[in-house]
Every structure is written in structure tokens, then in C-alpha cells.
Amino acid sequence: MHNSKIIAAKEFRTAYKDKVFIMIVLLFLLMSIASVYIGSTTKNAELKAYQDIVSVIQSEGGALPAAPEIFPLAILKNIITYITMIGAVLAIFLGFDSFSSERENGTLKLLLSKPVYRDQLITGKLLGAGVIIGGILIVTLLFNLTLFIVTTGLLPGVNEILRLVIFFFLAFVYMMSFYIVTLYVSIRTQDRTSGFLIMMVLWVFISFVIPQLADTQKNFAYALNSIASTVTQIPSDTALSKTIEYFSPAVQFSNVSGDLLQTVSATATTSVASVLGKNLPALLDLFFPGILFLILSYTRVQREDAI
Amino acid sequence: MKPIRTILKKEISDAVRNKLFLVILGMLLVLTIVSVVLGAFQVKANLDAYNQSVSFLKSLGKTDFPAAPNLNPLASSKNFVNYIGLLGALMAIILGNAAIVKEKRNGTLKLILSRQIFRDKYLNGKILGNLTLLFSISMFTFVISLASVAFISTVSLTLDDITRMLAFFIMSFLYMSVFLILGVLLAVAIPNGNKALLVTVIIWLIFSFILPQIGDTMDMDNQLPGGFFSAMGMNKADTQKVLDNFKFYETARDSIEQMSPTKHYERASFALLNVKPGFETNTTLQILSIKWIDLLGLLAPIIVLWLITYVIFLKRENIYQE
Amino acid sequence: MLITKDLTKKYQDFTAVDHLNLKVNDGAIFGFLGHNGAGKTTTLSMLTTLILPTTGTATIDGYDIVKDNLQVRNLLGYLPENVMLYGDLTARENLQFFGKLANVKDIDRNIEEVLSLLNFTKWTDKKVKTFSKGMRQRIGIAQAILHKPKILFLDEPTSGLDPQGTKEIRDILLQINKDWGTTIFMNTHLLSEVTKICTDIGIISHGKLLVSESIANLTANFKEEKSLEEIYFKIEGGGINA
């Protein structure tokens, strides 16, 4: 553990000296802050629009539409998108050369000729990344909590704080999964550029292409249904699109997080345990890739040609 | 002209040997074909379903048939917009970055520049070679899409449908070109090729994801599932009335979106492909003249970036250093 | 200090190192000579426990390189070829990192000591990526000797250095050999290096050891050849033919 901590400390130190990495961290923080701000002003605009509508309708003497339901945590909902997008890229930037650059710089040979076990090297890198990613998320959480209190004027209750903390924990798992897969790719690839690009392609697939394929499939089933009343909706088609979605942890993360952050009124007021229970398969899907690639990384690094 | 052609040819043969480029191209093509074919089948299914219900009604002796659905065969290519926005842009970035970085790494940039060739011809050859490649890819997907829509959906296409589709694929080409040249520019401007690639990707993220995302967030209608205004039971005129009260807000949103080439590409494409309603009766040229600002939004960055690349490439003395 | 017995490394049907039998005495400076691809680096990788031998054994100070690899790593210092180190970290940060991993006690005092030995104190807090190749190589040696190893392995320590840099490295090696009694095992393809500092020499070709002698014995055995260079080519040429 001692060696792993030394390596973790080094990872941390090199990361914050890397200008490109700092750039993307700042981008992430800025975006999440801006998103809360924009989210709350949009909500305010909506409320104002509602009041305008009410006054128009009142003057005409019509029936009033129901007020839009606004749950406080939903203000933070854009963070979900930023974590699935920029959060994942941030993890990729952190991990893509974590192993291959040690190899290219010759430091891998130096490390392994010291009394250090190879698994300690991986553990050290994971610890370092965990501290960095965790740190960024905690800063985001605190900042957003403050902004939330300031813009809504509400003090979040226990239930809300619990939802928020679990959401950030899942965000941590999601980003670490990306880091772990990237680390594995970095062990496997000879040069860092191709490792990075492989991960970017994977990222595009997980975050965009697979969700889109699932969507297309859903629409396909729906279109058959809507045009001709003689054709009924085929349940296997939505089942298929659900299956496609299981290939994307990003979709699962968004679904669980959407429930946690009260964007869906059905789950907005239920207990946290029931939200998690409902999303159990999604949670498993979220944890699975990280664990799988963690094991793969630990085994792969033992091989001689890993050097 | 001859040296340009030599370099142009070499660029293409280099790209064809670049594994990662081939992988992305392969995925792009597979996705395109899958989505176009699925889309074409959907159009066909809709057509069949309509015909079926018509004959069903006929057998019941009815004479008033429901109106024929708007089949819109062009929209089969709709998903391609997103694939190009993502994979196409990434592919172009890789091509642009590799075009310069590979020569620096192998030390061949020094060799070539010591030959009797002007730097501008060299740069033009490189950019043109890669543009040719992107153009061929766009035209190839155009032909595939056209063929699958025509043969699978069995809907007859008008000449205007075809030119719209062609215009859309040219827009796709322009969109990829923006990122190709951005890739070249940064590889020329930043000595470390790796860093250049990372920075290009970050810029791509900002323009393709973050700016449109901010725009989306600011879209009031987007905040409730199914749309805020329809939830309020409002029609288009009323919506407009409410929106007029938020002019400033809407302008801010619009100008953020204007900064993103991805948004321009999307807007023009959705108009051309009839995904966005309101352009069904326009000809291709009319749409392009309505959407000129989007065309400009793609052409202007190409020209500006190309010029900047030019200036840096001609001026920097240590250009060949990694 | 170092004894290898039939040390062999095979990659599928290619034998990189073939039944190597070597003995390096305490306090020797051993030059391991051979052309590119002869098996020098593979040998070094086995001795520094980076890769496992296919067959055969080796011991360093009585410890087996496979069974007691952790003890072996405590004994040795190693500088691979072309080490870039961590460019974004300063010389001191690099040394602190590698020193901690090598369990160096009183690390900051040791760093000062080694850096003043290497005449490097001026640049201690500069980032390594700003260093010239010769400077980087000196930091590389510094990390290898920080824990005062009994044996120091070097892979082509002077390749790519200018004459001044080469001389500096040579002087450092001679000094730690003299002051600390460190045994030095260096791979090289530069004959001139060997003649200037080595006490013993081994020549390897196509994975096989052709000769392993002290320089004094070698020159005594080849009386007609005027220089070590001629001896080398004679042995090398014979080795290829054999």
C-alpha cells in the first residue's frame, strides 16, 4: 500500500502540472456551474411565462392550465449531461497515457526494477485518479449545492441531500469506469495517440451512437403503430431498444440520475431506496465494465510484454 | 501543379494505410447503411400500412380515405447528420492532425521542404488531398443512401429530392472539412503533435457538444418532456406571443448556437431533409438561399482557418520540429 | 557479485540469449559488448528482474533473480537506455519519487549528496523536460544510485551524448566505483568506452557469449592485435563464423 500511495501522489502531481488536463478540468467546472445557473434562470423564465399565460387566459376567461411542476433538484439536471459527456472525456484525458507514457519515457522499466509489485503500480494509478476525479466531483457538488441554495432560496432536506450524494457517487463510478477502461487500453497500445483515439471512438459510441440506435429502434416501433390503426405496437421492438441501451452505461447513468435528480415526476418524491431498487439492473450495468476491466488490467500488467 | 498532385496522391495513399482512419470510416459506413436501410424500411412500412388500410376501407365499401401520410423518404438519412457530427468530425480531425504530425515525426517534413517545392504548394497539396478523400466518402455515402431509399422504400423520388440529398451530402463534406482544417492548423501551430490533437478534440467538444447543449438548456420549450408550450396547451401563435416577451433571452440563445458549426450543419441539413417542418415545398436552391447563413457558417471557418494555417506554415521557421 | 548459469531467454522460436555463463566480481566495471540486437538488453532485463529467464538461473550477491526478486531489486540500481523521466516534474521531484520507491531513508539529504556528487545542484528545481540529453542522463544515474546499490546496471549510458557529456558520465561512474565500491555492469557497443573505464569485458553475439575476460588477460592473449578494437573484430568475426 505504501508504494501505491507514492505512485498515487506522483500521478496527482503530474496531472495538475499538465496544462491540457487543467484546461479540461476548468471547462468541466465552468460548464457545471454555468449549467446550474442557466437551468435556474430557464426555470424562472418558465415560471414567468406561466404567469403571463395565466394573465392572458384570465383576461379571456378560460380555464387555467396546471402550474408546471418544478422539483428543486431538477435545476441540477444538466449536470447529468455534462458528466456523461465532459466527465467521461476528462477521465479519458487523465488515463490515456497513464501507462503508455511511462513506457515511452522509459520510466516503466525504472519503476519495475525498484522493489515495487506490478499490481501496486495499477493500484497507485487508480488511487491517484480516484483522488483527482473525486476531488473534482466534490468541488462540483459543494459549488452546486451553494448555488442551489442561493438561487432557489431553499435549504435542501435530508432526502434531497441523500439523492445528491448518491448521484455524485454514481458519477464517480461512471468516470472511474472510463478511467479504468482507458488505463487498460493504455496498457495494451504501443503509442499513446492511438490509445486516446480508440477511447474517443468508444466514447462516441457509448454516449451517442448506441443511445441513438436505441431511439431509432423505438421510433420504428412507434411509427408502425401511429400511421395505421390496424397495426399495433410490437412490444419486442421496445424490448430490442431496451436491450441496445444496455450496451451503453451512459444511458443507464442518465436514467438513474434522472430519477435521483427529480426530473421524472413519478420518482421525484419516492424514497431513495425505492429509486435505487427500481434501477437495480441499470446500476449493475453501470458497475460491470469498471470491474471487468479492472480485473483485465491487473492480469494484463503481469505479462512480460506489458513493459 | 505537378508537385501538388504528387503530394495529394501521397496523402490519399497514406490515409488508406492509416488503421484508425479505416476503422472509423468503416464504422461510419456501417452506421450510415444501417440507419439508411432501417429508415428506408420504415418508409416502406408506412407506405404498406397506408395501402393496407386503404384497401381495408375499400373492402368495407367506404369512399373517404384518410389522407396519404407524409412519407418523406429523405428523412431516412436523418441519423447520418449525427454520425457525421460525431464520427465524421473525429475522422477529419485524425486526418488533419496526422497529415502534419506524421511528417514531423519521421523527419520527412525537413526532407520535403528542402526539395524544390514551395511551402504553400506543399500545404495546399496536403489539404486538397485530404479534402478529396472526404469528398469521395461523402459522395459514396450519397450514392448508397440514394440507392437504398430508391430500391428499398419503393417510393419514387423526384429530381428535387435527389438534389436536396446531394446538397445535404455536400453540407456534410463541408462540415468535416472545417474539422480537417482545424486539425491541420493546430498541428502546424502547436509543436507537440500529441498536444495538438488533444487541443483539437477539446475545441471540437466545445463547438459540437457544449455550445449546442447550452442552447438546448436555454430553450424553454425543452425543459418539460413533450415541450413546455404544448404542456400549457398553447398553439404556435400564442407561443410566439409569449416568446416575444423573452426576446433578449432568445437572442442570447441563438447567438450561442450561431457560434457552433455543428448547429449550422444541423439546421441546414434538417431543412434539406425535411426533418424540420416548413420546407416541404421549397426547391433545393430556395432552401439554400433561406439557409445561406448556415452555409456561410460552414464556409467561413474553412476559409479563415485555411488562411491562418497558411500564414503560420509560411512564417514559422522551426515548423518541422516536434 | 553476479553469476549467471546457462541463462536463456527464448521468444517463440527465436533465442535472444543462449546459455549465458557470466561471472562479475565485486567492485568490477564490466563492459558487456555486442552489436545491435546481440542480446545485451534482454540479458540486462533478466538481471534487473523485468523479465523472467526461460531456463537457467542467475544470482546477485547470492540472491536468485527469480525467487528472491524483491531482495535483488533492493541491491541493484538500473538505468535503461533513453530514459526521459517525468518531464513535468523537477529533478528533485523525480528523485524523491524514485527514491521513495527504493525505500531510501533520509531522502532529501541523500538527494543533496548525490546531486553534489554529480555536480548538478544548480538545476535541482528545474523541470526535467527543459534538460539536455546529458543532463537527463545524469539525473537518470542519480536515481539509480540514490539508495547506494551494490551493483549498478547501465544500458548504453553514453549513447547520443557529446564528448563532454560522455566524459562527465565516465567520471561519475569511476568515482562511485572508487568511493562506494559499487560494481558496475554496462551494456555498450562503443569500444572506446570499454577501453577507458572497464576492468572486465564480455562479448555477446547472436545471444551467445563469445568471451568473458579481464581486459588485462584479453590483451595478453591477443598479442599481435594492436588495439582492443582489433581484438574485438577478431573475436566477433570468429563468433559469426563459428
Side-chain angles (χ1 to χ4, degrees):
Chain A
M1 206 56 205
H2 173 68
N3 283 338
S4 304
K5 269 189 209 150
I6 299 171
I7 293 169
K10 191 271 295 178
E11 289 295 301
F12 187 75
R13 196 172 278 220
T14 38
Y16 86 74
K17 286 194 178 181
D18 180 352
K19 281 190 204 109
V20 178
F21 181 71
I22 293 297
M23 210 158 109
I24 188 122
V25 169
L26 287 180
L27 197 65
F28 178 81
L29 290 178
L30 213 73
M31 285 332 301
S32 74
I33 292 163
S35 83
V36 176
Y37 180 73
I38 295 168
S40 60
T41 46
T42 311
K43 283 273 182 263
N44 282 338
E46 244 172 42
L47 276 180
K48 236 177 129 208
Y50 171 73
Q51 278 151 13
D52 285 0
I53 294 166
V54 169
S55 61
V56 169
I57 294 175
Q58 268 174 344
S59 64
E60 287 166 1
L64 293 180
E69 262 189 303
I70 294 175
F71 297 102
L73 285 181
I75 287 179
L76 304 175
K77 83 168 188 193
N78 292 306
I79 293 181
I80 301 172
T81 326
Y82 289 113
I83 283 170
T84 47
M85 283 183 354
I86 317 286
V89 174
L90 197 139
I92 294 175
F93 269 71
L94 190 60
F96 82 97
D97 66 350
S98 62
F99 205 87
S100 47
S101 76
E102 300 263 10
R103 193 161 31 207
E104 275 179 41
N105 295 338
T107 43
L108 187 58
K109 283 184 175 180
L110 285 183
L111 280 171
L112 296 179
S113 68
K114 306 271 182 241
V116 175
Y117 288 113
R118 294 187 181 197
D119 55 340
Q120 290 177 325
L121 178 60
I122 300 291
T123 312
K125 295 215 170 256
L126 285 174
L127 265 178
V131 170
I132 295 168
I133 291 175
I136 293 169
L137 283 174
I138 286 173
V139 171
T140 320
L141 171 68
L142 291 180
F143 204 93
N144 281 316
L145 211 57
T146 319
L147 208 60
F148 172 85
I149 295 170
V150 171
T151 52
T152 59
L154 297 169
L155 274 180
V158 180
N159 187 37
E160 270 125 15
I161 289 184
L162 197 60
R163 276 167 178 262
L164 210 53
V165 169
I166 293 174
F167 163 69
F168 272 91
F169 171 70
L170 291 180
F172 178 74
V173 171
Y174 179 76
M175 285 169 70
M176 279 307 277
S177 303
F178 263 93
Y179 178 82
I180 292 168
V181 178
T182 315
L183 180 68
Y184 177 71
V185 170
S186 176
I187 297 174
R188 292 294 305 265
T189 47
Q190 279 308 316
D191 72 309
R192 34 185 139 172
T193 315
S194 50
F196 171 71
L197 290 172
I198 288 171
M199 284 314 295
M200 288 311 294
V201 173
L202 196 69
W203 171 75
V204 164
F205 258 75
I206 287 176
S207 313
F208 303 97
V209 175
I210 296 176
Q212 174 132 36
L213 278 178
D215 256 10
T216 314
Q217 186 54 39
K218 238 182 252 165
N219 292 340
F220 192 36
Y222 167 74
L224 279 173
N225 184 26
S226 68
I227 299 254
S229 47
T230 46
V231 182
T232 48
Q233 189 171 11
I234 308 162
S236 68
D237 273 338
T238 39
L240 183 62
S241 73
K242 279 240 156 49
T243 316
I244 296 174
E245 283 182 346
Y246 272 108
F247 286 95
S248 167
V251 176
Q252 308 304 334
F253 174 70
S254 308
N255 287 347
V256 185
S257 306
D259 283 348
L260 282 171
L261 293 190
Q262 303 178 317
T263 58
V264 187
S265 46
T267 51
T269 48
T270 56
S271 76
V272 177
S274 74
V275 171
L276 294 180
K278 173 190 159 247
N279 286 297
L280 199 60
L283 288 173
L284 290 178
D285 197 32
L286 199 57
F287 280 86
F288 175 69
I291 294 170
L292 174 72
F293 278 90
L294 194 60
I295 296 169
L296 285 177
S297 300
Y298 273 119
T299 8
R300 185 78 198 184
V301 78
Q302 299 297 339
R303 291 176 42 152
E304 276 190 358
D305 55 9
I307 298 177
Chain B
M1 209 50 212
K2 191 154 168 288
I4 291 192
R5 228 185 313 156
T6 317
I7 293 164
L8 188 148
K9 269 190 208 151
K10 184 178 162 289
E11 281 306 300
I12 294 176
S13 68
D14 273 359
V16 179
R17 287 194 202 102
N18 181 341
K19 254 191 229 152
L20 203 70
F21 164 74
L22 290 181
V23 169
I24 298 185
L25 177 61
M27 288 194 295
L28 187 63
L29 290 182
V30 168
L31 282 172
T32 310
I33 292 169
V34 168
S35 67
V36 170
V37 167
L38 273 182
F41 271 118
Q42 192 176 344
V43 172
K44 182 175 159 43
N46 290 347
L47 185 68
D48 288 351
Y50 172 72
N51 288 340
Q52 221 178 347
S53 56
V54 167
S55 59
F56 179 68
L57 290 173
K58 255 189 200 157
S59 71
L60 291 179
K62 299 218 169 161
T63 46
D64 52 333
F65 303 128
N70 179 12
L71 292 168
N72 190 16
L74 287 180
S76 328
S77 308
K78 181 179 81 176
N79 284 333
F80 186 73
V81 177
N82 294 304
Y83 299 143
I84 283 288
L86 301 161
L87 288 172
L90 196 57
M91 187 174 76
I93 288 174
I94 292 173
L95 279 179
N97 181 267
I100 302 294
V101 173
K102 70 183 176 204
E103 307 277 1
K104 277 196 207 168
R105 290 222 170 118
N106 304 335
T108 41
L109 191 59
K110 235 186 227 177
L111 281 182
I112 294 169
L113 291 180
S114 65
R115 303 246 158 221
Q116 282 192 324
I117 174 167
F118 291 111
R119 282 188 177 200
D120 56 340
K121 281 196 180 160
Y122 179 67
L123 186 68
N124 282 341
K126 279 198 164 285
I127 294 180
L128 287 177
N130 286 299
L131 288 181
T132 312
L133 202 67
L134 291 181
F135 190 73
S136 326
I137 294 169
S138 309
M139 286 305 108
F140 181 68
T141 35
F142 164 61
V143 172
I144 292 183
S145 306
L146 194 64
S148 26
V149 171
F151 291 114
I152 298 175
S153 73
T154 63
V155 176
S156 55
L157 292 169
T158 62
L159 182 66
D160 196 56
D161 284 342
I162 296 173
T163 51
R164 269 171 181 242
M165 217 162 171
L166 180 65
F168 160 67
F169 279 95
I170 291 175
M171 290 302 269
S172 308
F173 161 69
L174 290 178
Y175 176 70
M176 289 192 281
S177 307
V178 174
F179 287 99
L180 176 91
I181 298 175
L182 182 71
V184 174
L185 166 64
L186 291 171
V188 166
I190 300 174
N192 179 333
N194 228 331
K195 214 161 253 178
L197 181 68
L198 296 186
V199 175
T200 319
V201 169
I202 292 181
I203 295 180
W204 168 58
L205 283 175
I206 294 177
F207 282 110
S208 297
F209 301 100
I210 296 180
L211 292 182
Q213 172 70 22
I214 295 182
D216 267 5
T217 313
M218 289 175 77
D219 190 346
M220 281 194 267
D221 209 18
N222 239 336
Q223 297 295 313
L224 285 182
F228 173 76
F229 293 111
S230 63
M232 296 287 106
M234 297 178 71
N235 59 27
K236 220 166 173 165
D238 286 342
T239 304
Q240 200 50 52
K241 223 174 4 192
V242 177
L243 279 182
D244 283 346
N245 289 338
F246 295 93
K247 261 245 155 75
F248 169 75
Y249 192 76
E250 283 295 302
T251 325
R253 181 170 86 86
D254 193 58
S255 34
I256 287 177
E257 292 194 348
Q258 293 287 5
M259 279 161 25
S260 162
T262 312
K263 217 60 208 179
H264 286 297
Y265 170 59
E266 249 179 47
R267 285 180 181 175
S269 302
F270 284 163
L272 283 166
L273 295 180
N274 279 337
V275 176
K276 197 177 167 63
F279 296 95
E280 289 85 352
T281 52
N282 294 98
T283 65
T284 313
L285 276 180
Q286 279 170 333
I287 296 177
L288 288 180
S289 59
I290 296 169
K291 292 281 174 189
W292 66 272
I293 190 96
D294 295 316
L295 193 61
L296 190 72
L298 292 178
L299 280 174
I302 292 180
I303 296 166
V304 172
L305 293 174
W306 197 330
L307 281 177
I308 299 174
T309 314
Y310 225 72
V311 172
I312 298 177
F313 196 73
L314 293 184
K315 287 222 166 138
R316 249 189 68 191
E317 296 220 319
N318 57 348
I319 196 86
Y320 41 78
Q321 273 170 5
E322 160 105 57
Chain C
M1 169 57 63
L2 169 76
I3 301 165
T4 72
K5 259 193 218 130
D6 292 326
L7 196 65
T8 303
K9 182 72 189 178
K10 284 187 183 169
Y11 293 103
Q12 276 109 36
D13 47 358
F14 170 70
T15 308
V17 175
D18 197 356
H19 295 85
L20 186 76
N21 288 294
L22 263 185
K23 191 163 180 275
V24 177
N25 294 322
D26 265 8
I29 301 184
F30 184 82
F32 200 39
L33 210 62
H35 55 79
N36 294 331
K40 298 185 305 262
T41 301
T42 311
T43 308
L44 215 56
S45 299
M46 284 190 280
L47 295 177
T48 52
T49 74
L50 291 178
I51 59 176
L52 295 173
T54 316
T55 56
T57 56
T59 56
I60 293 176
D61 210 18
Y63 291 107
D64 187 284
I65 56 163
V66 179
K67 278 181 243 151
D68 317 314
N69 66 64
L70 225 47
Q71 284 93 327
V72 168
R73 288 186 215 176
N74 276 320
L75 290 175
L76 64 84
Y78 173 40
L79 178 64
E81 197 180 353
N82 291 328
V83 170
M84 309 290 285
L85 300 163
Y86 299 110
D88 276 332
L89 301 185
T90 64
R92 185 195 302 279
E93 287 168 333
N94 267 286
L95 291 178
Q96 279 170 337
F97 174 64
F98 288 112
K100 277 184 204 157
L101 289 180
N103 304 315
V104 175
K105 304 271 171 294
D106 202 357
I107 205 157
D108 290 313
R109 201 182 50 79
N110 268 299
I111 290 175
E112 293 306 326
E113 189 190 339
V114 166
L115 286 180
S116 65
L117 178 76
L118 299 184
N119 230 333
F120 209 84
T121 36
K122 247 192 281 178
W123 298 286
T124 314
D125 292 306
K126 293 265 182 310
K127 280 190 181 182
V128 167
K129 68 177 172 196
T130 60
F131 289 1
S132 70
K133 184 153 188 193
M135 290 159 85
R136 259 205 315 262
Q137 201 68 349
R138 276 197 272 169
I139 294 299
I141 291 180
Q143 69 75 32
I145 62 173
L146 210 51
H147 58 301
K148 299 219 167 82
K150 289 201 163 170
I151 183 164
L152 179 60
F153 291 97
L154 305 157
D155 200 349
E156 307 277 5
T158 57
S159 84
L161 298 186
D162 59 17
Q164 176 66 27
T166 310
K167 185 174 177 311
E168 280 169 6
I169 299 290
R170 207 159 50 216
D171 292 345
I172 292 165
L173 295 180
L174 282 170
Q175 195 176 352
I176 52 174
N177 176 259
K178 199 178 96 207
D179 292 359
W180 300 351
T182 312
T183 310
I184 295 175
F185 184 114
M186 58 185 265
N187 278 356
T188 181
H189 64 272
L190 299 173
L191 266 165
S192 53
E193 276 315 294
V194 175
T195 43
K196 285 195 183 106
I197 65 167
C198 293
T199 55
D200 297 82
I201 162 175
I203 299 177
I204 186 171
S205 176
H206 296 88
K208 289 195 173 113
L209 186 70
L210 302 179
V211 71
S212 174
E213 285 271 22
S214 73
I215 296 227
N217 278 347
L218 203 64
T219 40
N221 289 344
F222 290 83
K223 287 210 175 88
E224 303 118 61
E225 283 75 20
K226 286 190 199 89
S227 65
L228 196 57
E229 192 167 17
E230 282 181 37
I231 298 173
Y232 174 79
F233 281 119
K234 181 138 195 205
I235 297 169
E236 251 287 77
I240 290 166
N241 293 337

